[in-house]
């Protein structure tokens, strides 16, 4: 066993060397690299940049997991790349929620128990809340057959639904409509009354009196559900419109940034930052074998971090269909995000998206998503052979070429 461990170690050390050499290809300038709201000076902070990128959870195609729905595919190779990118974005939100953006990962170093628990949310098992099984089957309700490629908006809708069953993380997931983020709706969804015996059940969250606030009384102060904010966008017709480039890059500078889902048709990537006009991304198009939790409940995380050289693509090669992600742990984080959007996004003549205070009157009323009154999880919504046979199986399980 020792020799195997050593060979694995040397393999990864080689990859770190490759990474360093790869970065030498960048111009030796004082330009900043931005990764999920943090900046690195390329000239002097290459090792910090490496560790920041490798700390992100990396989800790829897997094979040899239990068949989805009992009789479906046991690998997502060729069709699950956008689902894996959605998992990566959500995992980054959970890391920020429990460990903070500055948390760093080192291989073979004992990690906090929250880290292990986050990782277990994404294992390729039917009973894990954000597994490929849960996502693929929840996608059926969004009109996507199992084995069919998802776009960024579909993944966002699926995550919104699955989060309702995730009591540990207790996220509020808001997916914007019509390129518009509504502040009023988000505050309605995220402000929740704390469980307190002396809190009147019928007092609305917004009814804060000056006296309550001045006394520092928390009885009527609404708590804030951590917010995962996803903004699906179309930034052009067949290719990205150059007028959006600066605003798009600005989003990676925001401390709330969770990056972006996108890529090319049928070829999804998780974009985590940029240097100049090149986007830096994690690529899910590697097929690895299914990894399960060990008997003691821990997960061997060796294959869940990318230690290879970071991949890049010119921003103008991006498909115009993308989804931006942001995480606001507290209300002040959301207020700060709104200020940054006002300052950096809304200043453009052609705005990438809109931020409005009030719910548009011509829209249907906003109803915060609620957990369905069922005792099953998403994976069990479609769990019997009879239900699966109602679908056209030949189409459902066709592996799409990449």
């Amino acid at each position: 066993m020792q020799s195997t461990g050593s060979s694995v170690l040397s393999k990864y050390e080689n990859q770190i060397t490759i990474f360093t050499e790869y970065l030498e290809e960048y111009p030796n300038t004082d330009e900043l690299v931005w990764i999920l709201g943090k900046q690195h000076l390329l000239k002097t902070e290459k090792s910090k940049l490496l560790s920041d990128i490798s700390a992100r959870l990396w989800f790829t195609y897997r094979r040899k997991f239990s068949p989805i729905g009992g009789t479906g595919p046991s690998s997502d190779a060729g069709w699950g790349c956008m689902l894996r990118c959605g998992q990566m974005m959500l995992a980054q939100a959970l890391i920020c929620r429990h460990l903070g953006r500055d948390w760093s990962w080192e291989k073979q170093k004992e990690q906090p128990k929250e880290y292990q628990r986050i990782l277990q949310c994404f294992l390729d098992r039917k009973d894990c809340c954000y597994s490929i099984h849960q996502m693929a089957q929840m996608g059926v309700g969004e009109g996507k057959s199992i084995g069919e490629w998802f776009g960024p908006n579909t993944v966002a809708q699926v995550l919104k639904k699955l989060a309702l069953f995730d009591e540990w993380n207790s996220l509020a997931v808001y997916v914007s409509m019509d390129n518009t983020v509504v502040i009023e709706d988000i505050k309605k969804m995220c402000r929740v009354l704390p469980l307190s015996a002396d809190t009147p059940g019928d007092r609305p969250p917004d009814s804060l009196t000056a006296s309550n606030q001045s006394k520092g009384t928390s009885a009527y102060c609404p708590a804030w559900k951590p917010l995962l904010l996803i903004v699906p966008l179309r930034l052009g017709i067949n290719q990205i419109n150059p007028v959006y480039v600066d605003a798009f890059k600005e989003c990676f500078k925001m401390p709330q940034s969770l990056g972006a889902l996108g890529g090319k048709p049928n070829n999804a990537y998780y974009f985590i930052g940029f240097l100049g006009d090149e986007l830096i991304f994690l690529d899910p198009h590697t097929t690895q074998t299914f990894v399960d939790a060990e008997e003691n409940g821990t997960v061997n995380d060796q294959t869940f971090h990318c230690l290879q050289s970071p991949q890049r693509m010119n921003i103008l090669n991006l498909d115009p269909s993308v989804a931006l992600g942001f995480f606001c742990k507290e209300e002040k984080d959301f207020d700060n995000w709104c200020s940054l959007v006002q300052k950096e996004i809304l200043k453009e003549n052609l705005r990438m998206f809109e931020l409005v205070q009030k719910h548009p009157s011509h829209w249907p009323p906003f109803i915060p998503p609620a957990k369905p009154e069922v005792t099953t999880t998403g994976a069990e919504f479609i769990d019997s052979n009879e239900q699966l046979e109602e679908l056209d199986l030949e189409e459902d399980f066709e592996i799409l070429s990449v």
Side-chain angles (χ1 to χ4, degrees):
M1 290 297 290
Q2 187 70 37
S3 61
T4 309
S6 303
S7 66
V8 167
L9 195 59
S10 64
K11 174 184 158 194
Y12 282 110
E13 282 169 347
N14 287 343
Q15 286 178 343
I16 290 172
T17 309
I18 291 165
F19 188 110
T20 310
E21 288 170 357
Y22 185 90
L23 288 180
E24 295 295 343
E25 295 175 18
Y26 283 116
N28 195 17
T29 67
D30 293 329
E31 230 175 329
L32 290 170
V33 181
W34 285 91
I35 302 289
L36 301 173
K38 286 185 79 172
Q39 62 181 40
H40 300 279
L41 191 58
L42 190 58
K43 191 181 270 186
T44 56
E45 299 179 327
K46 287 180 183 173
S47 61
K48 266 178 69 181
L49 175 62
L50 164 65
S51 61
D52 196 22
I53 292 172
S54 64
R56 303 311 113 220
L57 280 171
W58 179 50
F59 298 122
T60 70
Y61 290 152
R62 296 273 172 175
R63 61 176 181 270
K64 297 186 178 176
F65 49 69
S66 64
I68 296 174
T71 57
S74 55
S75 171
D76 62 314
W79 60 271
C81 54
M82 187 63 85
L83 284 76
R84 297 300 185 182
C85 291
Q87 288 179 326
M88 287 190 263
M89 178 180 277
L90 176 58
Q92 179 59 22
L94 301 186
I95 293 283
C96 291
R97 182 187 185 330
H98 295 286
L99 303 172
R101 172 63 184 89
D102 292 332
W103 169 82
S104 64
W105 173 85
E106 291 174 43
K107 63 177 185 289
Q108 296 171 341
K109 177 186 167 189
E110 189 174 344
Q111 298 297 340
K113 65 181 188 302
E114 292 90 349
Y115 166 80
Q116 282 287 337
R117 197 167 172 187
I118 290 166
L119 197 46
Q120 288 169 16
C121 292
F122 298 94
L123 296 180
D124 302 316
R125 297 165 46 110
K126 185 183 94 169
D127 56 351
C128 296
C129 55
Y130 301 113
S131 65
I132 194 80
H133 299 65
Q134 294 274 14
M135 293 184 75
Q137 292 195 308
M138 195 60 90
V140 172
E142 297 296 319
K144 294 290 183 181
S145 304
I146 296 170
E148 190 176 345
W149 195 81
F150 284 28
N153 184 55
T154 305
V155 167
Q157 299 298 339
V158 163
L159 292 178
K160 181 170 83 170
K161 289 183 178 178
L162 289 177
L164 299 171
F165 297 92
D166 174 17
E167 291 177 6
W168 175 53
N169 292 300
S170 186
L171 291 181
V173 181
Y174 178 91
V175 182
S176 67
M177 268 176 50
D178 294 344
N179 291 5
T180 304
V181 175
V182 182
I183 295 170
E184 178 183 59
D185 294 347
I186 288 175
K187 297 223 169 186
K188 184 177 178 182
M189 181 170 68
C190 292
R191 284 178 171 176
V192 289
L193 281 174
L195 294 172
S196 169
D198 58 355
T199 304
D202 58 352
R203 185 182 287 268
D206 287 325
S207 59
L208 301 176
T209 65
S211 60
N212 278 339
Q213 288 179 311
S214 62
K215 290 174 192 168
T217 307
S218 63
Y220 304 135
C221 285
W224 177 267
K225 273 186 98 165
L227 169 67
L228 169 56
L229 168 56
I230 305 178
V231 185
L233 299 170
R234 187 151 192 99
L235 302 178
I237 300 170
N238 298 315
Q239 57 193 49
I240 189 167
N241 187 329
V243 300
Y244 295 121
V245 165
D246 287 344
F248 187 75
K249 285 160 53 175
E250 207 62 45
C251 292
F252 291 97
K253 297 181 182 180
M254 296 177 181
Q256 301 83 359
S257 173
L258 295 176
L261 309 177
K264 299 171 183 177
N266 294 348
N267 225 356
Y269 304 123
Y270 175 40
F271 295 97
I272 58 171
F274 73 91
L275 168 69
D277 283 333
E278 291 190 314
L279 298 173
I280 297 169
F281 62 90
L282 294 177
D283 186 352
H285 299 92
T286 296
T287 306
Q288 305 188 92
T289 305
F290 161 64
V291 171
D292 204 349
E294 294 168 16
E295 281 185 23
N296 64 1
T298 63
V299 178
N300 182 341
D301 65 353
Q302 197 78 17
T303 61
F304 291 100
H305 291 272
C306 183
L307 299 173
Q308 300 161 5
S309 44
Q311 299 210 49
R312 300 170 294 158
M313 70 180 278
N314 188 289
I315 194 167
L316 293 176
N317 294 335
L318 185 68
D319 185 86
S321 182
V322 298
L324 297 167
F326 304 94
F327 177 69
C328 302
K329 186 175 181 178
E330 298 176 15
E331 185 168 7
K332 65 181 181 185
D333 300 321
F334 177 62
D335 292 339
N336 172 257
W337 179 83
C338 291
S339 299
L340 290 170
V341 169
Q342 293 274 7
K343 184 179 161 196
E344 302 297 343
I345 308 298
L346 304 186
K347 69 178 182 184
E348 305 291 340
N349 290 330
L350 195 56
R351 294 173 175 178
M352 194 164 63
F353 61 88
E354 296 290 343
L355 176 67
V356 300
Q357 186 69 44
K358 294 286 184 188
H359 186 85
S361 57
H362 60 282
W363 283 14
F366 176 74
I367 301 168
K371 185 176 174 181
E373 293 298 318
V374 291
T375 55
T376 61
T377 61
E380 286 151 333
F381 290 157
I382 299 179
D383 198 32
S384 68
N385 287 342
E386 291 78 16
Q387 285 172 297
L388 282 164
E389 281 161 11
E390 290 171 13
L391 304 170
D392 183 351
L393 293 186
E394 285 183 14
E395 283 184 14
D396 296 336
F397 303 133
E398 179 186 352
I399 302 300
L400 302 180
S401 59
V402 176

